[in-house]
Amino acid sequence: MRLNSYVLQCHAASAGGKTSLKKHSVFSAMYLKEIGRYFSSYLWVLNTGLGVVLLCVVSLALCVISPEMLGKYTGIEDVDSFLGQFAPLIIAAMLSISCPAASAISLEGKNLWILQSVPLSNKTFLKSKIALTLTIHSIGYMLSVAVFLIRFQFNAIQALTLLVVPVCYSIFTAVQGTYINCRFPKFDWDNEMVVVKQSISVILSGAIGMICIAVPELLHWFLDVSFIKALWGMAAILIVLSVILYFKVCSKKII
């Protein structure tokens, strides 16, 4: 047990004939493991990182396309006003369809026994899955928010909405994906594709994400609710649900 703990928390590197030990906390070690595993699996990246990639591509394109040219190409008369309302939901939608957490637990597969043999708490294990999704989201979020704020003229409320709403969606996506995967894990797989694209947890998590994106639009179109108010209301609900699901997921026994 001591040996397992030592291996989990320390990283040995040899340089010039000398060996140095770099210590990490248990969470940091698990988090780095998740990051390394994610980027080493092209299937996982391809199927769960598409939204973030699209967000980055669009953001970079907006760096070279002027608002006037964008309005001309899209047929939108007032681009600043349009994006002031819909940019937060656009970013949130791209983050919602990128959910590595919905398949992260299942991908442990037959190697789960290794984690069960080390002094690793269930809570730390699950927090590393949530942290993975939040890290991937942060790449697209920071780039897109910076570009939108620099390239377009938003008022204070619109800018604040752009900063806050996607974060709420990101947190909810990470937590609900982990929770659903805890409820419907699939460890008996032979091909990663089955887990990251066809498992019930991935399908269910994606459906929930789309519903959360659609609700503010439906409230705005059919009930004539202010779109900004609908976004803030949905964001508040998602944060409350995230807290509830977080405590529920931490109570689940996986390892």
Side-chain angles (χ1 to χ4, degrees):
M1 195 64 84
R2 288 183 179 179
L3 178 60
N4 286 332
S5 179
Y6 177 79
V7 171
L8 186 64
Q9 299 184 47
C10 301
H11 173 71
S14 178
K18 296 181 180 180
T19 300
S20 61
L21 296 179
K22 188 174 181 180
K23 295 184 178 180
H24 297 287
S25 66
V26 176
F27 172 77
S28 295
M30 284 301 301
Y31 171 71
L32 293 174
K33 168 186 170 294
E34 289 297 317
I35 294 293
R37 182 176 183 184
Y38 181 75
F39 286 106
S40 67
S41 173
Y42 78 93
L43 286 175
W44 201 8
V45 172
L46 184 64
N47 287 277
T48 63
L50 181 60
V52 171
V53 172
L54 289 175
L55 199 54
C56 292
V57 171
V58 170
S59 299
L60 293 175
L62 290 176
C63 290
V64 297
I65 300 176
S66 66
E68 294 77 15
M69 189 178 296
L70 180 63
K72 181 180 178 180
Y73 287 155
T74 59
I76 301 172
E77 294 183 2
D78 190 349
V79 175
D80 289 330
S81 177
F82 176 83
L83 290 179
Q85 288 195 74
F86 291 98
L89 193 63
I90 292 172
I91 296 175
M94 293 298 99
L95 299 181
S96 295
I97 64 175
S98 299
C99 186
S103 52
I105 297 173
S106 295
L107 283 173
E108 296 294 345
K110 298 176 181 179
N111 293 325
L112 192 65
W113 70 269
I114 298 176
L115 296 175
Q116 293 172 336
S117 67
V118 301
L120 173 67
S121 70
N122 191 68
K123 185 176 181 179
T124 300
F125 170 73
L126 295 172
K127 283 170 62 178
S128 68
K129 307 298 183 182
I130 295 173
L132 169 65
T133 298
L134 294 178
T135 300
I136 303 304
H137 284 184
S138 67
I139 299 171
Y141 168 80
M142 290 189 292
L143 178 60
S144 59
V145 166
V147 170
F148 277 115
L149 290 178
I150 293 171
R151 297 289 288 171
F152 302 97
Q153 300 297 319
F154 296 159
N155 60 39
I157 296 299
Q158 290 172 338
L160 186 61
T161 304
L162 181 70
L163 290 170
V164 175
V165 170
V167 171
C168 297
Y169 272 88
S170 175
I171 293 172
F172 177 73
T173 299
V175 176
Q176 64 94 354
T178 304
Y179 176 76
I180 292 174
N181 201 195
C182 280
R183 292 292 304 272
F184 305 102
K186 183 178 180 61
F187 298 122
D188 55 338
W189 50 268
D190 297 317
N191 191 326
E192 284 188 354
M193 181 64 73
V194 176
V195 178
V196 301
K197 194 170 183 178
Q198 301 172 359
S199 63
I200 186 172
S201 59
V202 170
I203 296 172
L204 188 56
S205 176
I208 291 174
M210 288 188 288
I211 291 172
C212 292
I213 293 297
V215 168
E217 298 181 52
L218 296 175
L219 291 175
H220 176 62
W221 290 342
F222 294 105
L223 299 180
D224 200 27
V225 178
S226 166
F227 193 70
I228 296 295
K229 291 181 179 179
L231 285 177
W232 279 96
M234 192 66 199
I237 292 172
L238 292 181
I239 285 298
V240 172
L241 290 175
S242 297
V243 173
I244 294 172
L245 291 178
Y246 175 76
F247 284 108
K248 283 183 174 293
V249 79
C250 287
S251 67
K252 295 289 183 182
K253 185 63 177 177
I254 299 296
I255 60 172

